[in-house]
Amino acid sequence: MASADQLGFSFRPVERRTWTVRELVAAARTQLEREYGDVWVEGEISNFRAQDSGHLYFTLKDQSAQIRVVMFRSAARLLRFRPENGLQVVVRGRVTVYEDRGELQISAEYVEPKGTGALQIAFEQLKAKLEAEGLFDSARKKPIPALPARIGIVTSPQGAALRDILNILRRRHDTASVLIFPAQVQGEGAALEVTAGVRYFNKARNVDVIIVARGGGSAEDLAAFNHEGLARAVAASEIPVISAVGHETDFTILDFVADLRAPTPSAAAELVIRSRQEVEEQLGGLHRRLEKAARYHLLMARQNLTELARHGAFARMMDLIHRREQRLDELVNRLAHGQRDVFEKMRRGFETLSATVRHYDVRRVLGGMKKDLEARTTAIASAVRNLLLERKVRVERMETALQALSPLAILERGYALVFDASGNLLKDAAKVKAGDEISARLAKGTVSATVKKGRA
C-alpha cells in the first residue's frame, strides 16, 4: 500500500486560535451591526422601564421569541407618545450585542405604534392623566365676563384666525380693547410660546379674558395644543381662558382644560362679547320694565296716601307739621335780621379801620426807620475799623518781638552756627579733632572747613 507521501499528500497541523470572550462578542457585534444596521421589527412591548437618565428599556416579543430593546435619551425625547406594556409597535434600529452580558439587543432610533398613530396615543395618554387629576372638572372652570373691556389674544399675528376675531369684535362692539401676544401656533416651540402668552397676561393683569386661537389643520398641525405644559398653565390661569383651536370637529387637550371651548376662532369672538345691539335691546327692555314698575308703585303710593289723608290722625299730623313750618319761618326771619345786624356792625368797623389806615403816614415811618438803620450802620463800620486798627498794631508789635528773638537776627551781628559732619550743632570744641569736616551757618550763606587743631 502506498503512503500518503507517495501519493502526493502532506499533513500539516491545524493552527488553533483561542478567543477571549470579549473578542468573540465584539467580533459578533461588528458582524451583526454590519449585516443588520437598519432593520424594522414589529412586536409587543413588555418589561418597559424608563430611567431617570431619559433612556428607555423594554422587551419586544411575539408569540415565540423576544429581544431586548434600548432607546437612548437623544432618540427617546423625540417620541410623540409614551411607550407602555402591551402596546404593539414597530421599532427601527440596528441589531447589536450588549457586551457586558453578551445579550442580543436592538438599539432603537424610532418607535411608532402599530395601527393607531403616535399623536393619537399621546393625546389619549395625556387626556387620561389630566382628567384623573381633575383638570377637566367643570367645577374648577371660571365664568366668562359678559362684556369684557379688555381681551387678550394669543395667536399668530399673520394667521387668518386673528383677522376673523378682530373683524367680529369690531362689528359687535368696537369699544372693547384688544391686546395681542404674538406666538407660533405650529411646529417646534409653538407650545412654549403659547404657554408664555398665557403666563404673560396672568402676570400683567391687563386683560379680562384670554383667547388662545388657531385655524384648522391636521393632527400634526394642532399638536402644539396637546402639550402638557400648556394645559397646566391654562388650568392655573386666574384669568378665564377660551380655547378657539381648529374647526368644530377638532379637539385638543386645550379644549378640555380651558374654561370655555369655542368651535372656531370666529365663534370665540362671538362668545366672548355680546353685540352692541343685544346690549341695547336688553337695556331697553330693562328700562321699560323699570318704568312700568315705577308707574305701578307710584299709583299704589298715591292710593295709600289718599286713604291716609282721610284718616283723623293724618289731619292732626298735618296740623302739627304746619305749626312746625310756621315756627321754622319765624326762626328764618330772625336769623336773617340777625345776619343783617352783624353785617352792619362789621361794615362800620371796617370803615373805622380804613379811616385809621388812611391817616397813617407810612412813608414818614419808613423814613425814620431808614435814618435809624443808616446811623446803626455807620456806628458798626466805625467799630469794625477801630478793631482792625488795634489788631494791626498788635500784630506789628509781635512781629518786631519775633524778629528780635530770631536766631537769624543774632547771626546778623556777626555770630555763626557751627555743625559737625553729621549736621549736629557744635557747642564744645572737645567734640572735634584735627581733620574733621565742619560747616558754619552765617547770616548770609554757609561755609565748610577742615579742623587743623582744636582747643577746649
Side-chain angles (χ1 to χ4, degrees):
M1 179 179 293
S3 65
D5 291 336
Q6 293 174 340
L7 294 175
F9 297 102
S10 62
F11 292 98
R12 296 176 182 176
V14 178
E15 182 178 354
R16 184 174 67 180
R17 177 179 178 180
T18 303
W19 299 72
T20 65
V21 176
R22 180 164 291 277
E23 288 175 343
L24 181 60
V25 173
R29 173 182 177 180
T30 302
Q31 185 65 28
L32 280 170
E33 290 180 349
R34 184 184 300 115
E35 185 70 22
Y36 303 100
D38 185 16
V39 296
W40 293 80
V41 185
E42 175 185 331
E44 178 186 330
I45 294 178
S46 65
N47 301 320
F48 176 77
R49 185 175 80 257
Q51 294 293 110
D52 293 337
S53 61
H55 307 323
L56 306 181
Y57 301 90
F58 57 90
T59 300
L60 195 66
K61 67 179 183 179
D62 56 17
Q63 294 179 351
S64 58
Q66 64 181 20
I67 186 171
R68 293 184 181 274
V69 180
V70 57
M71 191 173 200
F72 295 107
R73 178 177 56 190
S74 57
R77 66 184 181 87
L78 301 176
L79 287 178
R80 294 183 178 274
F81 74 103
R82 181 177 178 82
E84 56 186 25
N85 293 327
L87 190 64
Q88 289 287 334
V89 295
V90 177
V91 176
R92 181 182 183 181
R94 58 187 174 86
V95 180
T96 184
V97 175
Y98 181 47
E99 296 180 1
D100 288 358
R101 290 200 298 265
E103 292 181 347
L104 190 69
Q105 68 178 19
I106 297 175
S107 179
E109 297 294 333
Y110 175 75
V111 179
E112 68 177 18
K114 183 182 178 183
T116 308
L119 289 177
Q120 186 61 29
I121 291 290
F123 176 84
E124 296 295 341
Q125 289 177 344
L126 181 58
K127 181 173 178 290
K129 176 182 178 181
L130 298 181
E131 186 174 13
E133 294 182 17
L135 267 65
F136 300 166
D137 293 348
S138 58
R140 55 155 294 277
K141 295 183 183 295
K142 296 171 285 297
I144 306 300
L147 199 63
R150 300 166 300 175
I151 302 171
I153 303 177
V154 182
T155 189
S156 170
Q158 293 80 29
L162 178 60
R163 292 194 296 272
D164 293 342
I165 292 174
L166 293 179
N167 288 336
I168 292 175
L169 291 178
R170 191 179 301 111
R171 186 178 71 248
R172 292 176 67 85
H173 215 292
D174 56 2
T175 59
S177 61
V178 177
L179 297 178
I180 301 170
F181 186 94
Q184 295 185 56
V185 291
Q186 179 177 336
E188 194 74 22
L192 297 180
E193 291 191 15
V194 175
T195 303
V198 174
R199 289 176 176 165
Y200 163 76
F201 285 127
N202 273 272
K203 183 178 180 180
R205 293 287 181 176
N206 52 0
V207 295
D208 302 318
V209 65
I210 302 171
I211 299 177
V212 179
R214 188 207 187 282
S218 63
E220 289 77 10
D221 295 337
L222 304 181
F225 300 94
N226 293 325
H227 191 271
E228 182 175 356
L230 173 58
R232 295 193 181 278
V234 171
S237 173
E238 297 183 7
I239 301 174
V241 178
I242 297 177
S243 170
V245 177
H247 299 302
E248 188 169 0
T249 57
D250 298 323
F251 280 91
T252 64
I253 295 297
L254 178 63
D255 294 329
F256 295 103
V257 75
D259 299 295
L260 179 66
R261 176 188 180 258
T264 62
S266 301
E270 295 175 352
L271 289 172
V272 75
I273 195 163
R274 298 161 61 188
S275 69
R276 178 177 296 178
Q277 182 179 357
E278 292 177 0
V279 174
E280 291 175 351
E281 289 178 355
Q282 185 175 6
L283 288 176
L286 292 173
H287 183 270
R288 288 190 293 273
R289 289 175 58 188
L290 180 61
E291 185 179 6
K292 183 178 179 180
R295 284 199 303 267
Y296 173 76
H297 285 293
L298 284 174
L299 179 61
M300 297 301 297
R302 186 178 295 112
Q303 292 178 355
N304 292 334
L305 183 59
T306 302
E307 293 177 0
L308 290 174
R310 298 192 185 102
H311 200 279
F314 183 76
R316 289 192 297 273
M317 181 180 66
M318 292 302 297
D319 184 56
L320 179 61
I321 291 174
H322 291 157
R323 288 199 301 271
R324 296 293 184 185
E325 288 177 346
Q326 185 177 357
R327 176 61 175 166
L328 180 62
D329 290 339
E330 292 177 358
L331 292 175
V332 169
N333 291 332
R334 289 174 60 185
L335 178 61
H337 288 302
Q339 286 179 339
R340 283 196 297 269
D341 293 341
V342 171
F343 289 153
E344 182 63 25
K345 290 179 181 179
M346 291 175 65
R347 185 183 62 80
R348 289 196 297 269
F350 178 73
E351 290 177 352
T352 303
L353 183 61
S354 297
T356 304
V357 171
R358 282 196 300 270
H359 289 86
Y360 189 76
D361 191 352
V362 178
R363 285 177 296 180
R364 182 172 57 81
V365 175
L366 290 177
M369 293 174 64
K370 180 179 179 182
K371 291 179 180 179
D372 183 58
L373 180 61
E374 289 175 350
R376 290 176 182 270
T377 303
T378 302
I380 292 173
S382 177
V384 170
R385 282 196 300 272
N386 293 334
L387 179 62
L388 290 176
L389 183 60
E390 291 177 1
R391 294 294 176 87
K392 180 179 178 182
V393 171
R394 183 180 178 185
V395 168
E396 289 175 351
R397 290 175 181 173
M398 294 176 68
E399 183 180 359
T400 302
L402 286 174
Q403 290 177 353
L405 296 174
S406 174
L408 297 178
I410 299 174
L411 295 180
E412 289 290 345
R413 296 198 295 270
Y415 293 96
L417 298 174
V418 182
F419 302 91
D420 61 13
S422 300
N424 298 318
L425 182 66
L426 290 174
K427 299 179 181 180
D428 187 355
K431 296 285 182 77
V432 295
K433 59 183 182 297
D436 287 351
E437 296 291 333
I438 62 174
S439 61
R441 169 69 185 276
L442 306 177
K444 296 181 180 179
T446 304
V447 295
S448 299
T450 303
V451 177
K452 292 184 176 181
K453 67 178 180 178
R455 184 171 61 250

